[in-house]
Amino acid sequence: MDAVRPRTVASGLRWRRTLLVTVGLTAGVDLVLWAAAPGLFRALPTAYWIMAVLAVVADAHPHPLPGRRVSRVILPSVCFTFAIALAWGFVPALAVQAVAVAVAGVRMRHPVPRSIHLGLQHAAGLAAASIVAGLASWRIGARPGLGDAALTCAAAAAWIAARYCVAALVRRWTSERRTRHRRRGRADLLATAALLLLAPLLLVAAQVSPALLPLSLLALHAVHRMVRWAGESERATRVDSLTGLPNRRALQSTMSDRGPDRQRALILLDLDRFRMVNDALGHGAGDRLLARVADRLTAAVPRHDLVVRLGGDEFAVLATRVEGTASARRIAEHLTEALSRPFPMDGTPVELTASIGIALQSGRRDGATLLREAETAMYEAKQRGDQVAVHGPDAAHDSPDRLALLADLRAALRQDPPKDGIVLYYQPQIAIATGEVIGVEALLRWRHPKRGLVGPEELLRVAEPTPVMRLLTARVLEEVVAQLADWRARKTPLRAAVNVSARDLHAGDIADRIGRLLREYEVPSDLLQLEITESALMTDPHRVLDTITRLDRMGVAISLDDFGTGFSSLQHLRRLPLSEVKIDRSFVLGMAGDRGDAAIVESVIGLAGSLGLRAVAEGVEDEVTWRLLAATGCHAAQGWFHARPMPADELAEWLARYRPIRPGVLRGPWIPAK
């Protein structure tokens, strides 16, 4: 509180000075006008003074439209001052307008330059309207005709044109940033025209009886409601209702407004483990936490930068003054530091971190591409376990070849019906003790129309850092579950294992999607197994744990793939609901000739057995390895020693001729299926 008090006092002193200067300037303008034509003001009728009072009263509640520009302010006084200009000339109208603008400026706490800017616009409008009326020597009588209506429209058009010409000149002179929102412009123009065209009605009412003039406040109230509705409607489409920040649509519109030689950075933040807050404290507390995150991010960036809530627990900052990657990284680190302080929630300090992706915009690159690149970098940061990643021209995934392949994959996945060349191969998994086929692993292939067969490693390397991965996983899951249903109908039920990425597990809806597929195809949940990697666990373990716990409760088995590589941790084996551990092929391939690899494989098999988990070895390509695995008690194996991956129809033929052979009775070299 002590830190806030001096700032509050200084702000109050500044505002009092602004108020005094505004009142002084207004009084000076009116005194000059009065001194220039004292006889004119003494001769003005009662109707003029009533309109003057009503103009000032109306501007005690001005109507600002959405936006920060002065030209977005609609003053209700314009209908009275426009009528005064038509009836009694420019000088009396300007005297009233000066007071009305000052009242509006005080009401909206405008600084003095902004009030002067607004006053100049309205003075120019009144001057243009007075010139049109003077050229026609026109005054509205008690019975206005068609010509009066035409001249009123002409004077109103001159008023509007002059005002917005002055606004454009001042904006260019002050280098104020332009915004392009056609809907706002239409609402602005419609409200201004409605107010101006009330003027002849006021003059007719004044000639009948000045006592009728206060009734015009009802019409002004209707215009006020219209302007307010337009503003709220525009705000609802461009502002996040929870945090009050601009939303995704506002960000895209801002990014489309590019200036010459301007470099900007889009910094995308995804809160880590936010779902844990919702689960522990409730969704109400989660909403309050998001609002506090929004406030802290807004306070951490300069006023010229834009803070946006994209949805869920994703935020973005559009930094408009960056000098390159290093500058953007400094901003990201500043945001990380701002979020590192605990958030007090109902007496409980909540710690938050965020994964941040950065994309730089320069030249003619569009906003949609920038947002996609920032999201790709953010997921790359999650996968690496880093807080910040930059999407730049030196990144491997930025090569034109990669981007073209990704675009082709996205287009292929959206084809309906699917004729995209994406196919699934299945590799059998063999129980070592009995030699029986206990399941298969589904492996992805893509027959690209120009590149030929694209392997799973390249396919996943391109897709996994992007939203395309979720489309790909959805496609694979549906095809695998449909194939399981087909095998079950043919009385040859098999269990199929499917690899899922970190992005799929972070989304959280994969459990619901799998549940719908199993119900739709009437497939028992124990026929489907999901394989996850340790890298997926490292990025956001709490969110992943929640997802795989739901899958385990549904009866879907979870296998920890590539165990022993990357970020191996025994914590995963102890606390995750796993059914199986897959030993990485890099150890299995070398175990026959490398004592270290053999020791690692034997240790993993023993550890899995003691925890009640199956141990499956990948990359079994010869009889020696097969026998070594049998001797160490490994449960199952897969590899080219038994069969290569094959399409579903070839797998059916292979199964028909396959005869289980135990390791103890193998004689001679095994001839693998082609």
Side-chain angles (χ1 to χ4, degrees):
M1 293 298 293
D2 294 335
V4 175
R5 190 183 303 275
R7 188 180 306 171
T8 305
V9 172
S11 177
L13 291 174
R14 259 195 322 270
W15 172 239
R16 280 196 284 272
R17 287 197 298 268
T18 300
L19 178 61
L20 291 174
V21 173
T22 302
V23 172
L25 286 175
T26 305
V29 169
D30 282 346
L31 286 175
V32 169
L33 294 175
W34 182 273
L40 175 61
F41 283 93
R42 294 192 193 99
L44 291 173
T46 304
Y48 166 81
W49 298 106
I50 293 176
M51 287 188 185
V53 172
L54 292 176
V56 174
V57 170
D59 273 5
H61 298 281
H63 311 321
L65 282 173
R68 300 177 64 181
R69 297 203 311 263
V70 177
S71 57
R72 307 294 308 162
V73 179
I74 305 297
L75 297 184
S77 61
V78 298
C79 65
F80 298 105
T81 56
F82 183 59
I84 291 172
L86 296 181
W88 298 291
F90 171 68
V91 173
L94 181 60
V96 176
Q97 191 69 77
V99 177
V101 168
V103 169
V106 170
R107 175 70 177 178
M108 293 185 289
R109 303 179 73 87
H110 281 171
V112 173
R114 198 171 183 191
S115 294
I116 293 175
H117 181 186
L118 192 61
L120 288 175
Q121 292 179 31
H122 285 76
L126 291 173
S130 300
I131 290 172
V132 170
L135 290 176
S137 301
W138 168 59
R139 291 290 183 271
I140 294 181
R143 295 181 178 180
L146 185 60
D148 294 322
L151 285 170
T152 300
C153 291
W159 191 101
I160 292 172
R163 179 195 172 174
Y164 291 107
C165 281
V166 171
L169 289 174
V170 173
R171 187 166 56 242
R172 180 183 291 258
W173 180 53
T174 58
S175 300
E176 184 180 348
R177 184 174 61 87
R178 295 187 61 185
T179 57
R180 304 169 186 165
H181 302 306
R182 294 182 180 179
R183 186 177 299 177
R184 289 185 183 182
R186 288 197 297 267
D188 193 345
L189 183 61
L190 181 62
T192 303
L195 289 171
L196 293 175
L197 295 180
L198 278 175
L201 302 181
L202 294 176
L203 291 177
V204 172
Q207 294 189 38
V208 173
S209 173
L212 297 175
L213 289 175
L215 298 179
S216 61
L217 293 178
L218 183 61
L220 290 180
H221 178 71
V223 175
H224 166 74
R225 297 294 298 178
M226 178 185 69
V227 173
R228 183 176 178 181
W229 174 84
E232 290 176 350
S233 176
E234 177 64 25
R235 177 180 173 83
T237 62
R238 304 182 61 79
V239 174
D240 175 60
S241 59
L242 176 63
T243 61
L245 294 177
N247 58 15
R248 184 183 293 266
R249 179 180 176 186
L251 174 65
Q252 290 172 339
S253 178
T254 303
M255 288 192 298
S256 68
D257 180 28
R258 296 188 298 270
D261 300 326
R262 173 187 295 175
Q263 186 174 53
R264 300 186 290 192
L266 181 62
I267 304 170
L268 194 148
L269 303 91
D270 182 83
L271 302 181
D272 300 325
R273 300 178 296 279
F274 179 75
R275 179 172 295 182
M276 183 178 64
V277 177
N278 280 337
D279 294 341
L281 303 179
H283 288 277
D287 289 345
R288 294 199 306 274
L289 180 58
L290 289 174
R292 294 184 183 182
V293 169
D295 293 340
R296 194 170 289 185
L297 292 177
T298 303
V301 302
R303 291 187 61 185
H304 51 73
D305 291 344
L306 183 69
V307 181
V308 176
R309 184 189 177 208
L310 298 176
D313 56 0
E314 281 192 347
F315 294 83
V317 174
L318 183 63
T320 57
R321 300 176 184 176
V322 294
E323 299 175 357
T325 301
S327 176
R329 275 190 174 274
R330 284 195 296 270
I331 297 173
E333 290 167 0
H334 185 52
L335 296 174
T336 300
E337 182 181 352
L339 293 178
S340 65
R341 300 190 303 274
F343 292 83
M345 298 294 298
D346 301 328
T348 303
V350 175
E351 303 277 352
L352 277 184
T353 59
S355 299
I356 301 178
I358 301 173
L360 299 177
Q361 181 188 36
S362 59
R364 304 300 300 173
R365 293 168 66 227
D366 61 278
T369 301
L370 190 69
L371 185 59
R372 186 168 62 248
E373 291 175 350
E375 189 175 37
T376 299
M378 183 269 292
Y379 276 104
E380 182 180 334
K382 279 188 177 292
Q383 290 171 345
R384 294 202 314 247
D386 295 339
Q387 280 199 301
V388 180
V390 180
H391 190 287
D394 297 330
H397 54 257
D398 251 354
S399 67
D401 186 65
R402 282 274 184 89
L403 293 177
L405 187 62
L406 180 64
D408 291 343
L409 178 59
R410 183 185 291 107
L413 288 169
R414 290 177 175 169
Q415 287 184 9
D416 190 20
K419 296 180 180 178
D420 45 30
I422 295 175
V423 294
L424 289 176
Y425 280 48
Y426 298 91
Q427 186 171 37
Q429 294 177 338
I430 311 298
I432 295 179
T434 63
E436 296 178 350
V437 178
I438 60 172
V440 294
E441 180 182 0
L443 300 169
L444 192 61
R445 301 289 189 273
W446 182 23
R447 299 188 185 279
H448 192 277
K450 296 181 180 179
R451 301 170 184 254
L453 191 66
V454 179
E457 292 82 7
E458 184 177 5
L459 194 58
L460 294 178
R461 190 164 52 247
V462 169
E464 193 165 17
T466 73
V468 175
M469 189 64 213
R470 294 191 63 193
L471 296 175
L472 190 58
T473 301
R475 169 70 178 280
V476 170
L477 283 172
E478 182 159 10
E479 288 202 13
V480 168
V481 174
Q483 186 61 61
L484 289 174
D486 182 66
W487 286 333
R488 187 164 178 259
R490 296 171 184 269
K491 307 301 182 184
T492 56
L494 282 174
R495 186 188 70 212
V498 178
N499 289 278
V500 292
S501 71
R503 180 181 288 265
D504 300 308
L505 295 172
H506 293 155
D509 62 348
I510 189 170
D512 297 328
R513 193 187 317 154
I514 289 175
R516 286 194 300 269
L517 288 172
L518 294 176
R519 289 191 299 270
E520 180 182 349
Y521 288 95
E522 299 180 351
V523 172
S525 57
D526 60 355
L527 293 182
L528 181 65
Q529 178 172 293
L530 298 186
E531 296 187 358
I532 63 175
T533 62
E534 291 182 284
S535 61
L537 297 173
M538 291 299 296
T539 54
D540 196 345
H542 293 283
R543 187 182 298 188
V544 172
L545 176 60
D546 178 67
T547 300
I548 63 177
T549 300
R550 290 182 60 198
L551 290 165
D552 177 68
R553 289 171 181 168
M554 291 167 52
V556 177
I558 306 297
S559 172
L560 186 59
D561 197 11
D562 299 338
F563 186 75
T565 63
F567 305 97
S568 297
S569 172
L570 298 182
Q571 290 282 351
H572 300 155
L573 299 182
R574 182 174 65 85
R575 64 188 181 86
L576 295 178
L578 300 173
S579 301
E580 177 181 286
V581 173
K582 297 191 76 173
I583 308 170
D584 188 69
R585 61 186 293 113
S586 61
F587 301 116
V588 176
L589 287 171
M591 67 179 297
D594 189 301
R595 295 180 60 183
D597 286 346
I600 290 174
V601 172
E602 185 175 355
S603 299
V604 173
I605 293 171
L607 179 62
S610 64
L611 293 174
L613 305 177
R614 291 190 305 271
V616 179
E618 297 180 297
V620 180
E621 298 188 358
D622 54 56
E623 181 182 343
V624 175
T625 304
W626 170 258
R627 291 184 182 277
L628 288 173
L629 290 170
T632 56
C634 188
H635 298 85
Q638 71 180 77
W640 286 16
F641 176 64
H642 283 95
R644 298 184 181 187
M646 62 193 91
D649 53 351
E650 294 183 19
L651 177 66
E653 298 175 1
W654 182 87
L655 288 171
R657 67 175 187 268
Y658 174 73
R659 296 294 178 267
I661 301 179
R662 299 179 183 179
V665 296
L666 274 175
R667 296 291 184 270
W670 179 263
I671 302 176
K674 300 297 183 183

